[in-house]
Amino acid sequence: MAQITLYNIKGEKIGNIEIADEVFNVEPNLDVMWRYIDMQLTNSRAGTASTKTRGEVAGGGRKPWPQKHTGRARQGSIRAIHWRHGGVAHGPKPRNYLKRLNKKMKKLALKSALSARFQEGNLIVVSDIRFEKAQTKQMREVLKNLGIADEKVLFVLPRKEEVYENVKLSGRNIPGVKVIIADNPNNGNPVNIDGLNVYDIINSSKVVLTEGTVRKIEEVLSK
């Protein structure tokens, strides 16, 4: 099994922990990662864009002028697509953009993304991070201690508790910092770690996990 350095929130090394090779040290599959991100971004589309055809625009039932002997081009309706205030040809209509991936592909994509960050040296594991109250100052201090204050950082916390929700709120006002709870519902991911997703991992230059999050991820993705 691979080993990774364990830090506390003061940025001090407190030891090494083993992480599962089959989760954090696989050969990244770029194709499956792309498919996952494509699915995730596509599913985030509302699909509510809508335009009116010439038949749906009010008015325009009368022929604007006679067909012949006016010196003008013939017209059948003031709601034709080339008229101002006319209809739209081939415009968008409300539709469902839903895409799906099977569970094996989702798990492989997550493993690939986590492995890519680990192999780059951009995966950081801390023993735990809990705040008794939400305070941006505390989060800035943690970032400074870990040496990632100027990075785009993703924090992944193990479960929904008040002390972890406070961490999430503390990072909300800091540009480039995102905090997610691993078991929050999110349509694009495997069961039980639905807050974790490939797009956020790839979109961040550093990924910070707690030791509890590492074990939770291993438990789900090793199955």
Side-chain angles (χ1 to χ4, degrees):
M1 297 180 80
Q3 289 202 341
I4 191 168
T5 304
L6 184 66
Y7 296 88
N8 58 24
I9 58 174
K10 295 180 180 179
E12 300 166 342
K13 296 181 181 180
I14 57 176
N16 293 321
I17 62 169
E18 291 186 338
I19 55 177
D21 284 333
E22 64 269 22
V23 175
F24 292 97
N25 202 17
V26 301
E27 179 69 29
N29 189 316
L30 300 182
D31 175 64
V32 174
M33 289 166 65
W34 183 90
R35 288 171 184 265
Y36 187 109
I37 292 172
D38 176 58
M39 175 201 69
Q40 191 175 346
L41 296 182
T42 301
N43 288 350
S44 69
R45 297 184 66 174
T48 54
S50 183
T51 55
K52 290 183 178 181
T53 65
R54 61 181 288 172
E56 293 168 331
V57 180
R62 180 174 66 88
K63 189 174 177 67
W65 51 75
Q67 179 84 347
K68 296 179 178 293
H69 312 300
T70 63
R72 291 172 161 183
R74 54 194 176 192
Q75 302 293 330
S77 170
I78 62 171
R79 297 298 182 239
I81 61 173
H82 58 285
W83 281 68
R84 182 168 179 262
H85 302 308
V88 177
H90 311 298
K93 287 291 185 181
R95 55 166 288 192
N96 183 3
Y97 285 96
L98 182 66
K99 286 188 176 182
R100 297 183 186 277
L101 281 181
N102 62 55
K103 285 185 180 180
K104 284 185 178 180
M105 293 180 76
K106 289 179 185 177
K107 287 185 176 183
L108 178 57
L110 279 170
K111 290 177 185 180
S112 296
L114 291 167
S115 296
R117 286 290 172 259
F118 171 66
Q119 291 161 11
E120 295 163 357
N122 291 324
L123 185 68
I124 299 171
V125 179
V126 295
S127 54
D128 204 2
I129 176 169
R130 298 166 177 248
F131 295 162
E132 294 304 320
K133 62 178 181 178
Q135 199 172 31
T136 303
K137 183 180 178 181
Q138 291 185 78
M139 178 60 87
R140 288 193 184 277
E141 193 68 28
V142 171
L143 293 169
K144 183 180 177 183
N145 292 340
L146 293 172
I148 53 176
D150 298 324
E151 302 278 358
K152 197 169 186 181
V153 185
L154 174 69
F155 285 85
V156 188
L157 306 177
R159 57 188 172 277
K160 198 168 185 178
E161 286 182 14
E162 184 178 355
V163 287
Y164 292 132
E165 286 291 333
N166 288 338
V167 176
K168 188 174 182 178
L169 293 173
S170 299
R172 193 165 57 177
N173 287 336
I174 304 176
V177 172
K178 183 168 185 178
V179 183
I180 59 177
I181 309 293
D183 60 2
N184 268 1
N186 183 313
N187 291 332
N189 310 289
V191 182
N192 296 330
I193 53 169
D194 283 346
L196 186 64
N197 62 85
V198 174
Y199 178 76
D200 283 337
I201 296 172
I202 297 302
N203 197 39
S204 303
S205 57
K206 299 286 183 182
V207 178
V208 180
L209 310 177
T210 68
E211 189 174 4
T213 306
V214 170
R215 301 309 171 207
K216 186 179 185 70
I217 292 171
E218 288 178 341
E219 178 187 350
V220 175
L221 296 186
S222 295
K223 293 178 180 177

Tab-separated table of all heavy atoms in Angstrom, residues 31-60:
chain	number	residue	atom	x	y	z
A	31	ASP	N	-10.235	8.955	-20.371
A	31	ASP	CA	-11.491	8.847	-21.114
A	31	ASP	C	-12.688	8.795	-20.168
A	31	ASP	O	-13.672	9.523	-20.349
A	31	ASP	CB	-11.477	7.600	-22.005
A	31	ASP	CG	-12.806	7.389	-22.711
A	31	ASP	OD1	-13.180	8.248	-23.522
A	31	ASP	OD2	-13.485	6.380	-22.438
A	32	VAL	N	-12.603	7.977	-19.141
A	32	VAL	CA	-13.711	7.842	-18.193
A	32	VAL	C	-13.878	9.126	-17.377
A	32	VAL	O	-15.001	9.543	-17.083
A	32	VAL	CB	-13.496	6.622	-17.265
A	32	VAL	CG1	-14.565	6.568	-16.189
A	32	VAL	CG2	-13.519	5.343	-18.081
A	33	MET	N	-12.759	9.773	-17.033
A	33	MET	CA	-12.849	11.052	-16.322
A	33	MET	C	-13.576	12.087	-17.176
A	33	MET	O	-14.416	12.837	-16.682
A	33	MET	CB	-11.452	11.549	-15.954
A	33	MET	CG	-10.788	10.748	-14.857
A	33	MET	SD	-9.010	11.088	-14.717
A	33	MET	CE	-9.011	12.791	-14.209
A	34	TRP	N	-13.250	12.132	-18.476
A	34	TRP	CA	-13.920	13.077	-19.370
A	34	TRP	C	-15.408	12.771	-19.449
A	34	TRP	O	-16.249	13.692	-19.411
A	34	TRP	CB	-13.302	13.005	-20.777
A	34	TRP	CG	-13.914	14.002	-21.707
A	34	TRP	CD1	-13.509	15.280	-21.941
A	34	TRP	CD2	-15.088	13.793	-22.521
A	34	TRP	NE1	-14.338	15.882	-22.842
A	34	TRP	CE2	-15.324	15.004	-23.224
A	34	TRP	CE3	-15.947	12.718	-22.722
A	34	TRP	CZ2	-16.386	15.162	-24.101
A	34	TRP	CZ3	-17.010	12.876	-23.595
A	34	TRP	CH2	-17.219	14.082	-24.276
A	35	ARG	N	-15.754	11.489	-19.551
A	35	ARG	CA	-17.167	11.110	-19.637
A	35	ARG	C	-17.925	11.536	-18.378
A	35	ARG	O	-19.071	11.997	-18.435
A	35	ARG	CB	-17.302	9.597	-19.836
A	35	ARG	CG	-16.891	9.110	-21.215
A	35	ARG	CD	-16.834	7.591	-21.251
A	35	ARG	NE	-16.349	7.106	-22.510
A	35	ARG	CZ	-17.125	6.731	-23.536
A	35	ARG	NH1	-18.433	6.808	-23.423
A	35	ARG	NH2	-16.594	6.283	-24.652
A	36	TYR	N	-17.272	11.359	-17.214
A	36	TYR	CA	-17.906	11.735	-15.946
A	36	TYR	C	-18.146	13.243	-15.890
A	36	TYR	O	-19.248	13.702	-15.548
A	36	TYR	CB	-17.005	11.303	-14.782
A	36	TYR	CG	-17.622	11.474	-13.414
A	36	TYR	CD1	-18.017	10.379	-12.657
A	36	TYR	CD2	-17.798	12.746	-12.872
A	36	TYR	CE1	-18.575	10.539	-11.411
A	36	TYR	CE2	-18.355	12.908	-11.618
A	36	TYR	CZ	-18.739	11.806	-10.894
A	36	TYR	OH	-19.297	11.969	-9.661
A	37	ILE	N	-17.116	14.031	-16.239
A	37	ILE	CA	-17.256	15.487	-16.183
A	37	ILE	C	-18.287	15.972	-17.189
A	37	ILE	O	-19.094	16.870	-16.903
A	37	ILE	CB	-15.889	16.164	-16.419
A	37	ILE	CG1	-14.958	15.866	-15.234
A	37	ILE	CG2	-16.045	17.674	-16.601
A	37	ILE	CD1	-13.530	16.328	-15.438
A	38	ASP	N	-18.294	15.357	-18.377
A	38	ASP	CA	-19.300	15.694	-19.382
A	38	ASP	C	-20.699	15.425	-18.848
A	38	ASP	O	-21.608	16.255	-18.986
A	38	ASP	CB	-19.042	14.878	-20.654
A	38	ASP	CG	-20.106	15.116	-21.714
A	38	ASP	OD1	-20.292	16.275	-22.113
A	38	ASP	OD2	-20.748	14.142	-22.146
A	39	MET	N	-20.888	14.277	-18.202
A	39	MET	CA	-22.179	13.949	-17.599
A	39	MET	C	-22.554	14.944	-16.516
A	39	MET	O	-23.681	15.462	-16.461
A	39	MET	CB	-22.127	12.534	-17.002
A	39	MET	CG	-23.381	12.145	-16.232
A	39	MET	SD	-23.115	10.795	-15.055
A	39	MET	CE	-22.085	11.602	-13.828
A	40	GLN	N	-21.590	15.269	-15.641
A	40	GLN	CA	-21.856	16.148	-14.512
A	40	GLN	C	-22.244	17.558	-14.971
A	40	GLN	O	-23.224	18.135	-14.483
A	40	GLN	CB	-20.603	16.219	-13.628
A	40	GLN	CG	-20.837	16.882	-12.287
A	40	GLN	CD	-19.593	16.822	-11.417
A	40	GLN	OE1	-18.658	16.075	-11.700
A	40	GLN	NE2	-19.575	17.602	-10.365
A	41	LEU	N	-21.501	18.114	-15.924
A	41	LEU	CA	-21.800	19.459	-16.396
A	41	LEU	C	-23.083	19.497	-17.228
A	41	LEU	O	-23.862	20.451	-17.145
A	41	LEU	CB	-20.629	20.005	-17.219
A	41	LEU	CG	-19.318	20.196	-16.451
A	41	LEU	CD1	-18.246	20.777	-17.362
A	41	LEU	CD2	-19.510	21.107	-15.238
A	42	THR	N	-23.304	18.439	-18.009
A	42	THR	CA	-24.527	18.381	-18.807
A	42	THR	C	-25.753	18.278	-17.910
A	42	THR	O	-26.767	18.948	-18.142
A	42	THR	CB	-24.490	17.172	-19.778
A	42	THR	OG1	-23.352	17.306	-20.629
A	42	THR	CG2	-25.747	17.120	-20.625
A	43	ASN	N	-25.673	17.473	-16.854
A	43	ASN	CA	-26.804	17.305	-15.950
A	43	ASN	C	-27.089	18.562	-15.124
A	43	ASN	O	-28.168	18.690	-14.537
A	43	ASN	CB	-26.561	16.124	-15.009
A	43	ASN	CG	-26.656	14.801	-15.726
A	43	ASN	OD1	-27.085	14.744	-16.877
A	43	ASN	ND2	-26.254	13.719	-15.082
A	44	SER	N	-26.125	19.474	-15.076
A	44	SER	CA	-26.354	20.708	-14.322
A	44	SER	C	-27.145	21.738	-15.144
A	44	SER	O	-27.562	22.767	-14.617
A	44	SER	CB	-25.018	21.326	-13.899
A	44	SER	OG	-24.306	21.820	-15.020
A	45	ARG	N	-27.349	21.456	-16.427
A	45	ARG	CA	-28.109	22.377	-17.279
A	45	ARG	C	-29.595	22.316	-16.936
A	45	ARG	O	-30.167	21.245	-16.751
A	45	ARG	CB	-27.906	22.035	-18.753
A	45	ARG	CG	-26.490	22.182	-19.237
A	45	ARG	CD	-26.350	21.925	-20.717
A	45	ARG	NE	-27.040	22.942	-21.510
A	45	ARG	CZ	-26.964	23.011	-22.834
A	45	ARG	NH1	-26.230	22.142	-23.503
A	45	ARG	NH2	-27.624	23.948	-23.493
A	46	ALA	N	-30.224	23.480	-16.867
A	46	ALA	CA	-31.640	23.524	-16.509
A	46	ALA	C	-32.523	23.029	-17.645
A	46	ALA	O	-33.591	22.452	-17.411
A	46	ALA	CB	-32.033	24.951	-16.129
A	47	GLY	N	-32.118	23.278	-18.875
A	47	GLY	CA	-32.929	22.838	-20.011
A	47	GLY	C	-34.209	23.634	-20.166
A	47	GLY	O	-35.207	23.134	-20.687
A	48	THR	N	-34.221	24.899	-19.706
A	48	THR	CA	-35.446	25.709	-19.756
A	48	THR	C	-35.425	26.757	-20.866
A	48	THR	O	-36.380	27.518	-21.001
A	48	THR	CB	-35.654	26.417	-18.404
A	48	THR	OG1	-34.476	27.152	-18.071
A	48	THR	CG2	-35.948	25.412	-17.309
A	49	ALA	N	-34.341	26.848	-21.652
A	49	ALA	CA	-34.276	27.828	-22.735
A	49	ALA	C	-35.412	27.578	-23.721
A	49	ALA	O	-35.663	26.435	-24.120
A	49	ALA	CB	-32.930	27.747	-23.445
A	50	SER	N	-36.118	28.650	-24.115
A	50	SER	CA	-37.274	28.458	-24.986
A	50	SER	C	-37.472	29.674	-25.888
A	50	SER	O	-37.304	30.815	-25.454
A	50	SER	CB	-38.535	28.241	-24.148
A	50	SER	OG	-39.647	27.988	-24.976
A	51	THR	N	-37.796	29.440	-27.153
A	51	THR	CA	-38.131	30.504	-28.098
A	51	THR	C	-39.458	30.161	-28.759
A	51	THR	O	-39.910	29.017	-28.716
A	51	THR	CB	-37.046	30.651	-29.175
A	51	THR	OG1	-36.857	29.386	-29.817
A	51	THR	CG2	-35.732	31.118	-28.590
A	52	LYS	N	-40.066	31.168	-29.380
A	52	LYS	CA	-41.346	30.962	-30.056
A	52	LYS	C	-41.148	30.851	-31.566
A	52	LYS	O	-40.380	31.615	-32.157
A	52	LYS	CB	-42.292	32.123	-29.758
A	52	LYS	CG	-42.776	32.159	-28.321
A	52	LYS	CD	-43.776	33.282	-28.110
A	52	LYS	CE	-44.291	33.270	-26.676
A	52	LYS	NZ	-45.297	34.341	-26.448
A	53	THR	N	-41.844	29.921	-32.155
A	53	THR	CA	-41.848	29.822	-33.613
A	53	THR	C	-42.817	30.878	-34.160
A	53	THR	O	-43.553	31.521	-33.406
A	53	THR	CB	-42.300	28.430	-34.070
A	53	THR	OG1	-43.684	28.254	-33.681
A	53	THR	CG2	-41.451	27.346	-33.425
A	54	ARG	N	-42.843	31.027	-35.469
A	54	ARG	CA	-43.739	32.033	-36.060
A	54	ARG	C	-45.203	31.722	-35.763
A	54	ARG	O	-46.042	32.631	-35.703
A	54	ARG	CB	-43.503	32.146	-37.572
A	54	ARG	CG	-43.765	30.878	-38.350
A	54	ARG	CD	-43.475	31.073	-39.835
A	54	ARG	NE	-44.497	31.902	-40.476
A	54	ARG	CZ	-44.416	32.352	-41.721
A	54	ARG	NH1	-43.346	32.092	-42.456
A	54	ARG	NH2	-45.383	33.087	-42.253
A	55	GLY	N	-45.502	30.447	-35.550
A	55	GLY	CA	-46.878	30.075	-35.237
A	55	GLY	C	-47.265	30.374	-33.799
A	55	GLY	O	-48.451	30.410	-33.472
A	56	GLU	N	-46.282	30.575	-32.939
A	56	GLU	CA	-46.562	30.813	-31.521
A	56	GLU	C	-46.538	32.288	-31.143
A	56	GLU	O	-47.009	32.664	-30.074
A	56	GLU	CB	-45.535	30.056	-30.664
A	56	GLU	CG	-45.652	28.556	-30.765
A	56	GLU	CD	-44.460	27.821	-30.161
A	56	GLU	OE1	-43.342	28.382	-30.171
A	56	GLU	OE2	-44.661	26.688	-29.674
A	57	VAL	N	-45.955	33.134	-32.018
A	57	VAL	CA	-45.920	34.566	-31.732
A	57	VAL	C	-47.302	35.160	-32.000
A	57	VAL	O	-47.935	34.863	-33.025
A	57	VAL	CB	-44.865	35.269	-32.615
A	57	VAL	CG1	-44.828	36.766	-32.310
A	57	VAL	CG2	-43.504	34.656	-32.412
A	58	ALA	N	-47.782	36.006	-31.089
A	58	ALA	CA	-49.108	36.604	-31.243
A	58	ALA	C	-49.140	37.533	-32.453
A	58	ALA	O	-48.183	38.266	-32.723
A	58	ALA	CB	-49.476	37.379	-29.975
A	59	GLY	N	-50.263	37.543	-33.162
A	59	GLY	CA	-50.449	38.439	-34.303
A	59	GLY	C	-49.922	37.839	-35.584
A	59	GLY	O	-49.479	36.686	-35.635
A	60	GLY	N	-49.974	38.647	-36.631
A	60	GLY	CA	-49.420	38.220	-37.907
A	60	GLY	C	-50.329	37.357	-38.735
A	60	GLY	O	-49.904	36.773	-39.727
